Amino acid sequence: MAQRLELHAILVNILGSNNVYFQPPASIQLQYPCIIYKRDNSVTLHADDKPYMLSTRYQITIVDKNPDSEIPAAVGALPMCIFDRFYTADNLNHDVYKLYF
């Protein structure tokens, strides 16, 4: 959990506000711009039939009214981060990234 909280702090720093949500329930009223992230996958490396390294992958979605926002570029600059897709919904721009952290 400490590792996820470290990622949360990095995302808050990038966004410049506390509008960073980890797996938010539908009842939460989101404030924009925001970052929504969730666990997406894990990779375990083995040696001698024992796990020795576990990497957790997160899906990070930046939601912003501004189509020219600089937030996606800042998230995309994180190590082990790759761009996944872009889409619009409800007049909001969504940039989706995958990040091993």
Side-chain angles (χ1 to χ4, degrees):
M1 180 162 162
Q3 197 169 15
R4 186 190 66 78
L5 294 177
E6 182 181 340
L7 173 59
H8 189 90
I10 291 168
L11 295 175
V12 166
N13 187 44
I14 288 172
L15 187 62
S17 76
N18 288 323
N19 297 340
V20 177
Y21 308 98
F22 177 68
Q23 300 176 331
S27 62
I28 295 277
Q29 180 68 34
L30 301 177
Q31 302 293 318
Y32 305 110
C34 70
I35 295 176
I36 302 165
Y37 68 107
K38 64 181 181 178
R39 285 187 307 190
D40 181 56
N41 196 3
S42 299
V43 173
T44 303
L45 298 178
H46 294 83
D48 294 329
D49 295 326
K50 296 178 185 175
Y52 74 92
M53 188 176 97
L54 173 70
S55 294
T56 302
R57 187 175 76 182
Y58 293 90
Q59 177 180 302
I60 300 174
T61 305
I62 298 102
V63 184
D64 199 343
K65 295 176 184 176
N66 180 2
D68 298 319
S69 174
E70 295 181 13
I71 300 166
V75 170
L78 293 171
M80 301 293 291
C81 186
I82 59 170
F83 179 76
D84 185 39
R85 66 187 176 279
F86 171 82
Y87 65 95
T88 57
D90 300 324
N91 288 331
L92 294 169
N93 302 287
H94 297 70
D95 290 274
V96 182
Y97 290 84
K98 304 287 185 170
L99 173 70
Y100 282 98
F101 194 80

